[in-house]
Amino acid sequence: MPGGAVVITGTADTSRIEAPVTVKAYLMCAFAAFGGIFFGYDTGWMGGVLGMPYFIRQYTGMAYPNVVYPDTGSDAYKAYKKTFHLTARDQSLTTSILSAGTFFGAIIAGDVADFIGRRLTIIMGCFIFSIGCILETASTGLALMTVGRLIAGGGVGFISAIIILYMSEIAPKKVRGALVAGYQFCITIGILLANCVVYATQNRDDTGSYRIPVAIQFLWAIILGTGLFILPESPRYFVKKGKLEKAAKALANVRGQPIDSEYIQDELAEIIANHEYEMSVIPQTNYIGGWTNCFKGSLTNGSSNVRRSILGILMQMMQQLTGINFIFYFGTVFFQSLGTISNPFLISLVTTLVNVCSTPISFYIIERLGRRTILIFGAMGMIVSQFIVGIIGVTAGKPEKNNHPAVSAMIAFICINIFFFATTWGPAAWVIVGEVFPLPIRSRGVGLSTASNWFWNCVSSFFRLNFTLYCINWFYQIIAVITPYLVGVEKHDANLGAKVFFMWGALCCISLTFAYFLVPETKGLSLEQIDKMLEESTPRTSARWVPHSTFAEDMGLTHKGVDLTHGHIGSTPPAEEVSHSINEKSAV
Ligand code: BGC
């Protein structure tokens, strides 16, 4: 060891490129999944709050309908009640401003995570989120609420993107899919919690009605932020920064192994060799160059950066276009419009419970059957169930037929659709995004893909909102049972409601084609092996690919070794090698 330097060598044995894992290591990854709660809860509470009488009165200045018209059976009362809500513009603003914040938050976070590290970026996200939360809680008017939502959204963007990055980088390859699916599980719990809290406070006649659901979010920020102070940084981040000794310490911590264990040395050498290889293919230039790197390469080459970025961005877009959030955000109104269900909370509870209870199945099948397989089967399941809902909805389930069994069948198939989403596209989209990018562009790639999720979430929320208002209108007209003219409108609207499922079904056909032609199988491989697999196979042949060599061997680390102390390949640094040291090449 020249000059007291710590030198390690890699292995040519493909089965030794990851250290065995302890329970502590599993628990660390599982804790990080907690970040999903933010995602789910924050998207879940606003819809309920927007419908709260106290909130509407506070934010519009309108008096309660029963105060203006004490005769609640009168037409005047009903007509006034119809107008007792925030304007479409204000609803749209408060709903979509979160997505705007998350969109930009996710993109910025990609940069920040390469600069200060994954762990600190998530902690920073918790901090930003808390500021937004304070403003939201303090608000009594639209302006402050909107600013608060924007800032909180920025924090959620930080957290939602970088948790995926962090978990993918520290999780053991055999259970990486299952652990990242744990993040999706937390999203579903967040949505459920938001529904329950909003239900419990909705009828309060004070600011607690909306302040309690908003303020509860502090708890998530405190738990995640504090916990991450204790967790180690991602070793891959340190490798990217050329801090190899720190990388060794972090890896030893993450795997629960002594730092001088051969396993740790082999795994670290593999990560370093892969990074060296990627850096020789993707030279780091300046800041702008770093971003343009995400779109370099040929569109026909499955391992090019541009193809990986397209894969991540489209993966999240297709996940949103499965129509799942139509059910979660709009389901209540839709079910009401079917005419047989009177308790909207019960409906959201059923759909969110199906979502929560189905997701754990993915922990098993994502590792057993693989990401690609479950995406293909999941899309097929959603296509069938959505078309069935559509077909029943325009035939036996038409509201004017008042056919209870038909409506029950529609609801059952909507739940089956949620089941297929929750076990496949919900988790797998996040898992794939965390796996397919090479280290030099990984944080930006994950940031872009997460931003795509929020962008499409926002686009479809505009659609949802208009559709919701359309149906609310229709719903009141049904109740009023007035003129033949309205019966005409009623027919048209009823048809529109069910036809929406034909649209989601058709979009799922595109998701199926996308999964079949563009999504590779990544199960059981290390992030570095995925890199190699993408180079040597196509999405359709990827499942058959088996690792046959290590990066450490290919890059000569098995005999030259890596000097961790000075951050260069080879135990004695020749002058020209020093100038190309990992440290310098990795500088951002
Ligand atoms: C999606 C969210 C969706 C949630 C439902 C997530 O994977 O990105 O938009 O609301 O799943 O469980």
Side-chain angles (χ1 to χ4, degrees), residues 39 184 187-188 191 319-320 325 328 355 421 426 430 453 457:
F39 189 131
Q184 169 70 13
I187 295 182
T188 65
I191 299 176
Q319 193 219 44
Q320 288 301 304
N325 286 325
F328 289 130
N355 196 26
F421 176 87
W430 293 109
N453 176 292
N457 191 320

Side-chain angles (χ1 to χ4, degrees), residues 183-443:
Y183 169 80
Q184 169 70 13
F185 184 52
C186 288
I187 295 182
T188 65
I189 292 179
I191 299 176
L192 178 68
L193 283 176
N195 271 298
C196 295
V197 175
V198 163
Y199 180 67
T201 65
Q202 64 185 344
N203 291 324
R204 287 177 71 113
D205 194 20
D206 58 22
T207 57
S209 54
Y210 66 93
R211 282 187 166 146
I212 293 173
V214 175
I216 280 183
Q217 302 178 99
F218 273 119
L219 208 61
W220 322 142
I222 291 167
I223 297 175
L224 186 66
T226 319
L228 274 166
F229 263 113
I230 303 159
L231 293 191
E233 179 52 86
S234 157
R236 287 176 167 91
Y237 161 74
F238 284 131
V239 168
K240 185 168 166 41
K241 297 294 269 186
K243 297 177 179 168
L244 302 187
E245 279 186 319
K246 286 192 173 174
K249 267 188 211 138
L251 188 63
N253 199 346
V254 162
R255 297 284 177 255
Q257 296 275 339
I259 192 163
D260 51 3
S261 111
E262 269 185 24
Y263 282 117
I264 295 295
Q265 299 194 2
D266 288 346
E267 183 170 359
L268 185 60
E270 184 65 3
I271 299 172
I272 295 170
N274 170 261
H275 185 237
E276 273 295 286
Y277 168 74
E278 284 297 345
M279 293 295 280
S280 64
V281 187
I282 315 168
Q284 295 294 284
T285 51
N286 51 20
Y287 177 77
I288 303 289
W291 273 105
T292 50
N293 271 342
C294 297
F295 300 97
K296 281 207 172 129
S298 157
L299 277 176
T300 53
N301 174 1
S303 70
S304 67
N305 286 1
V306 65
R307 271 288 291 277
R308 298 188 204 211
S309 298
I310 289 177
L311 174 60
I313 292 168
L314 288 190
M315 173 59 77
Q316 292 294 336
M317 178 181 110
M318 295 317 310
Q319 193 219 44
Q320 288 301 304
L321 295 184
T322 57
I324 191 67
N325 286 325
F326 172 82
I327 298 168
F328 289 130
Y329 300 167
F330 172 74
T332 309
V333 181
F334 180 76
F335 286 127
Q336 276 177 341
S337 74
L338 296 176
T340 53
I341 307 264
S342 53
N343 186 345
F345 176 72
L346 188 69
I347 300 307
S348 12
L349 194 65
V350 169
T351 53
T352 47
L353 269 177
V354 171
N355 196 26
V356 173
C357 299
S358 315
T359 304
I361 295 174
S362 70
F363 299 171
Y364 178 72
I365 60 173
I366 206 158
E367 300 299 358
R368 179 94 197 154
L369 306 176
R371 291 65 161 145
R372 179 181 154 83
T373 314
I374 66 169
L375 284 170
I376 291 174
F377 280 105
M380 286 177 180
M382 286 191 281
I383 293 169
V384 173
S385 34
Q386 286 174 338
F387 279 132
I388 292 179
V389 175
I391 291 166
I392 302 178
V394 295
T395 53
K398 277 183 175 181
E400 64 266 30
K401 294 201 170 169
N402 210 16
N403 183 340
H404 284 237
V407 170
S408 304
M410 283 171 82
I411 293 171
F413 277 101
I414 286 173
C415 290
I416 293 174
N417 178 61
I418 296 175
F419 168 84
F420 277 112
F421 176 87
T423 49
T424 62
W425 278 79
W430 293 109
V431 173
I432 291 279
V433 158
E435 296 178 333
V436 294
F437 294 99
L439 187 50
I441 61 160
R442 186 173 297 141
S443 62

Side-chain angles (χ1 to χ4, degrees), residues 4-289:
V6 178
V7 178
I8 62 166
T9 52
T11 178
D13 180 351
T14 53
S15 66
R16 281 183 61 99
I17 47 91
E18 189 177 275
V21 188
T22 60
V23 174
K24 178 185 150 212
Y26 285 117
L27 291 179
M28 276 182 194
C29 300
F31 176 79
F34 182 80
I37 298 262
F38 281 84
F39 189 131
Y41 191 91
D42 216 41
T43 49
W45 67 262
M46 194 71 215
V49 165
L50 281 176
M52 287 179 180
Y54 184 88
F55 185 82
I56 297 172
R57 197 190 69 168
Q58 173 92 13
Y59 282 73
T60 60
M62 294 171 83
Y64 288 137
N66 60 346
V67 171
V68 185
Y69 298 103
D71 177 6
T72 54
S74 69
D75 285 348
Y77 169 84
K78 285 173 190 157
Y80 179 75
K81 198 169 174 210
K82 252 171 75 173
T83 64
F84 187 70
H85 55 71
L86 270 75
T87 63
R89 192 191 68 99
D90 290 348
Q91 289 198 36
S92 182
L93 184 69
T94 46
T95 315
S96 50
I97 199 76
L98 176 90
S99 306
T102 45
F103 176 83
F104 291 110
I107 292 182
I108 297 168
D111 268 339
V112 180
D114 271 352
F115 193 62
I116 62 170
R118 283 67 167 130
R119 202 177 58 102
L120 282 184
T121 307
I122 301 170
I123 295 173
M124 195 179 194
C126 292
F127 183 71
I128 297 173
F129 177 80
S130 303
I131 296 176
C133 215
I134 292 173
L135 298 182
E136 285 170 344
T137 314
S139 87
T140 50
L142 210 61
L144 196 56
M145 176 60 92
T146 308
V147 175
R149 290 276 288 166
L150 184 68
I151 297 176
V156 176
F158 265 57
I159 297 162
S160 56
I162 307 307
I163 286 273
I164 290 295
L165 176 65
Y166 180 68
M167 290 186 76
S168 309
E169 286 192 341
I170 65 168
K173 62 185 168 119
K174 278 207 190 84
V175 288
R176 191 180 50 237
L179 287 168
V180 176
Y183 169 80
Q184 169 70 13
F185 184 52
C186 288
I187 295 182
T188 65
I189 292 179
I191 299 176
L192 178 68
L193 283 176
N195 271 298
C196 295
V197 175
V198 163
Y199 180 67
T201 65
Q202 64 185 344
N203 291 324
R204 287 177 71 113
D205 194 20
D206 58 22
T207 57
S209 54
Y210 66 93
R211 282 187 166 146
I212 293 173
V214 175
I216 280 183
Q217 302 178 99
F218 273 119
L219 208 61
W220 322 142
I222 291 167
I223 297 175
L224 186 66
T226 319
L228 274 166
F229 263 113
I230 303 159
L231 293 191
E233 179 52 86
S234 157
R236 287 176 167 91
Y237 161 74
F238 284 131
V239 168
K240 185 168 166 41
K241 297 294 269 186
K243 297 177 179 168
L244 302 187
E245 279 186 319
K246 286 192 173 174
K249 267 188 211 138
L251 188 63
N253 199 346
V254 162
R255 297 284 177 255
Q257 296 275 339
I259 192 163
D260 51 3
S261 111
E262 269 185 24
Y263 282 117
I264 295 295
Q265 299 194 2
D266 288 346
E267 183 170 359
L268 185 60
E270 184 65 3
I271 299 172
I272 295 170
N274 170 261
H275 185 237
E276 273 295 286
Y277 168 74
E278 284 297 345
M279 293 295 280
S280 64
V281 187
I282 315 168
Q284 295 294 284
T285 51
N286 51 20
Y287 177 77
I288 303 289

Side-chain angles (χ1 to χ4, degrees), residues 420-468:
F420 277 112
F421 176 87
T423 49
T424 62
W425 278 79
W430 293 109
V431 173
I432 291 279
V433 158
E435 296 178 333
V436 294
F437 294 99
L439 187 50
I441 61 160
R442 186 173 297 141
S443 62
R444 284 177 176 147
V446 174
L448 279 173
S449 310
T450 309
S452 161
N453 176 292
W454 290 106
F455 176 79
W456 289 101
N457 191 320
C458 181
V459 168
S460 47
S461 92
F462 270 113
F463 170 77
R464 277 193 305 273
L465 187 75
N466 293 337
F467 188 55
T468 305

